[in-house]
Amino acid sequence: MRAVVFNGALEDDDSLAKVYHFLLRDLTELNFETTGFVLRNMGIAICRGCFGCWIKTPGVCVQDDAGRDTARAFARSDLIVYLTPIVFGGYSSQLKKAVDRIIPNVLPFLKKTEGEVYHLPRYKKKKSLIGLGLLPRSYDGSEAIFRTLIKQNSFNAHCHYYDALVFTEEENIDNILGEFRETLKQGGICR
Amino acid sequence: MNGLQTALLLVGSPRGPGSASAILGTYLVEKLKEKGIRTVSRHLCRELNRQTLLEEVEEADLLIISSPLYVDCLPAQVIKVLEWIGTARRGAGIKKYLAVILNCGLPEAYRNEIALAICRRFAIDAQLEWCGGLCLGMGPAVDGKSLQEAGSMVRHLRKALEISAKRLAEGNTVPREAVELFEEPFLPPRMYIFFDNLGWKQLARKNGVRDRIDARPYEAE
């Protein structure tokens, strides 16, 4: 089983460093073939909205940079982890630049399913999506937006399991990792 | 919002002046200009100087963000600019206002709601008074032509933006009437889906990739 962790820490902010390190360790210990991306260190251009990945080079972004690597990892993985500061309730710009570039992994075609319209998946592989969001201060209501975003992203990516874990800098790292392992068990992703 | 003098339009689409985001935002600021408000427009996906942009934010009374939806929320570059503004305006005392226009390629306007919630949250964190937002589904139907040129199909959008401009210029928020007008679908959703899917097939055929439009380049690895 493959896992990929997208680390959306912003420049000059190391508040996610410890969690990131231990996530990679724990996933490896759980026998995942694990890849981690520290996105602020990667040359990922913004999505141009050109739809080339649908109608010129199907499945591959026309921009030949690290955005192809993150899209490939997303496509190949069973477990996707978004690790990010929660910015106005959503993802950081660093995480979002990678998320915008996974659009090649869906087809352009729309279909209405259970009352909502989605893009059809390009790949059959079923995935799980776990969002780990760090609140800048205490719980302030923005975590509800984050949870909804993870849920909607998981539906659009045709994930069979999703969860959103929210924490503050004061929280004990063992508790965070414990919750992470627990959600993996709940999702049947590991024992 | 007494004494509104300057509005700053921030366009979040990388696709330039022909994008739905630019077309919709431009129409709104043109209506504000007709009411004597000075307007400035910036495309966030072009070369952007952080300091210059923040100075323009400080000079403006009203900020207007017009953005597409990417993967259920705002595109990365828009978030980056909001991060800049949020950091710069932490603890700011001077009152400013925020209105937004959002559009997505899905048929349902409500799919913009997460992005709208993020914008509302940004307004709180950046000490901006929230003036409301307009959300549009079937955004590609607006691409390419100005709202003046696009004819009767977008009459409801013109009216919604005109009502919004009037209310914003008076110091009020975007009214419910404008929100409901704006989110009216151009077509029944099933028809939109049919024509949208057909359009992609035609474009793929034109580019010689119709037979591999559903290719899985990362599967065999």
Side-chain angles (χ1 to χ4, degrees):
Chain A
M1 294 248 285
R2 292 192 183 112
V4 59
V5 181
F6 292 99
N7 180 342
L10 293 168
E11 291 84 359
D12 304 322
D13 178 8
D14 289 324
S15 53
L16 295 178
K18 214 170 170 185
V19 175
Y20 177 65
H21 168 80
F22 285 112
L23 274 177
L24 295 182
R25 181 202 69 176
D26 280 13
L27 287 167
T28 304
E29 282 178 2
L30 290 168
N31 294 318
F32 283 93
E33 185 186 319
T34 305
T35 305
F37 292 112
V38 181
L39 297 167
R40 68 187 179 194
N41 298 336
M42 298 174 74
I44 299 176
I46 60 167
C47 175
R48 289 183 199 160
C50 67
F51 304 119
C53 57
W54 287 347
I55 54 166
K56 287 188 181 169
T57 52
V60 179
C61 182
V62 297
Q63 300 187 92
D64 188 5
D65 66 2
R68 284 186 179 178
D69 300 326
T70 47
R72 180 187 294 113
F74 188 100
R76 297 176 71 215
S77 296
D78 306 275
L79 171 64
I80 318 292
V81 181
Y82 289 167
L83 176 65
T84 179
I86 294 178
V87 176
F88 315 125
Y91 305 150
S92 73
S93 56
Q94 289 294 343
L95 174 60
K96 195 62 184 11
K97 77 182 179 186
V99 170
D100 287 349
R101 295 283 299 276
I102 63 167
I103 291 168
N105 291 338
V106 293
L107 296 176
F109 306 122
L110 298 175
K111 185 177 179 182
K112 193 162 188 170
T113 309
E114 294 177 22
E116 276 206 343
V117 178
Y118 295 102
H119 285 281
L120 290 172
R122 185 176 292 278
Y123 298 95
K124 289 184 180 156
K125 183 190 266 289
K126 287 293 180 189
K127 302 172 184 312
S128 298
L129 173 65
I130 312 289
L132 272 144
L134 171 66
L135 279 168
R137 296 173 286 278
S138 56
Y139 293 90
D140 61 1
S142 61
E143 65 272 15
I145 305 171
F146 179 74
R147 292 185 203 284
T148 305
L149 179 55
I150 289 289
K151 178 180 176 182
Q152 194 62 40
N153 272 186
S154 77
F155 288 175
N156 280 322
H158 305 273
C159 296
H160 72 99
Y161 180 75
Y162 74 92
D163 200 358
L165 306 176
V166 173
F167 57 100
T168 64
E169 282 192 77
E170 282 75 42
E171 266 162 81
N172 184 286
I173 186 140
D174 290 329
N175 291 345
I176 299 166
L177 295 170
E179 277 193 47
F180 181 71
R181 280 185 182 245
E182 191 52 42
T183 194
L184 295 186
K185 282 183 206 163
Q186 276 183 22
I189 305 163
C190 72
R191 291 201 197 90
Chain B
M1 207 191 321
N2 293 325
L4 175 67
Q5 293 183 328
T6 307
L8 175 63
L9 170 65
L10 303 175
V11 179
S13 173
R15 298 176 59 224
S19 67
S21 303
I23 287 166
L24 296 168
T26 298
Y27 193 84
L28 179 65
V29 296
E30 281 172 2
K31 294 300 152 189
L32 287 172
K33 209 183 291 186
E34 288 173 9
K35 298 181 187 318
I37 291 158
R38 183 176 153 260
T39 64
V40 177
S41 297
R42 289 288 171 255
H43 286 257
L44 301 184
C45 298
R46 292 188 177 163
E47 207 170 294
L48 208 59
N49 179 281
R50 177 176 180 164
Q51 191 53 39
T52 304
L53 183 74
L54 291 176
E55 287 168 7
E56 288 175 335
V57 167
E58 279 317 298
E59 282 168 16
D61 305 299
L62 171 67
L63 302 184
I64 301 163
I65 297 170
S66 186
S67 175
L69 200 73
Y70 277 18
V71 196
D72 302 314
C73 64
L74 300 168
Q77 184 67 5
V78 177
I79 297 173
K80 185 172 177 178
V81 169
L82 298 193
E83 286 166 352
W84 291 351
I85 299 172
T87 301
R89 285 192 52 80
R90 204 164 285 153
I94 298 170
K95 217 166 187 184
K96 290 188 192 300
Y97 303 85
L98 175 67
V100 303
I101 305 170
L102 301 170
N103 73 91
C104 69
L106 299 167
E108 311 110 322
Y110 76 80
R111 301 294 284 272
N112 293 288
E113 278 173 4
I114 296 174
L116 194 70
I118 289 171
C119 290
R120 288 190 80 143
R121 187 73 226 178
F122 161 70
I124 294 170
D125 289 357
Q127 321 279 319
L128 300 168
E129 190 154 319
W130 176 249
C131 293
L134 299 168
C135 295
L136 182 72
M138 305 183 186
V142 182
D143 278 353
K145 277 190 188 166
S146 72
L147 286 191
Q148 291 93 331
E149 292 167 330
S152 59
M153 189 181 79
V154 299
R155 184 170 43 215
H156 64 295
L157 300 183
R158 289 196 294 267
K159 188 171 178 195
L161 290 165
E162 286 156 13
I163 293 169
S164 300
K166 180 174 186 292
R167 296 297 296 269
L168 289 169
E170 288 167 352
N172 294 310
T173 58
V174 173
R176 185 78 219 151
E177 176 195 1
V179 170
E180 288 174 356
L181 258 176
F182 203 76
E183 65 189 19
E184 275 178 19
F186 299 97
L187 294 171
R190 290 209 179 275
M191 197 179 292
Y192 175 81
I193 292 168
F194 173 80
F195 284 116
D196 193 64
N197 290 346
L198 184 64
W200 293 120
K201 290 174 187 171
Q202 288 173 338
L203 286 167
R205 187 173 294 112
K206 187 177 159 195
N207 292 328
V209 297
R210 176 64 185 96
D211 58 338
R212 48 193 174 90
I213 196 170
D214 54 358
R216 295 174 182 161
Y218 301 140
E219 187 166 71
E221 297 176 6

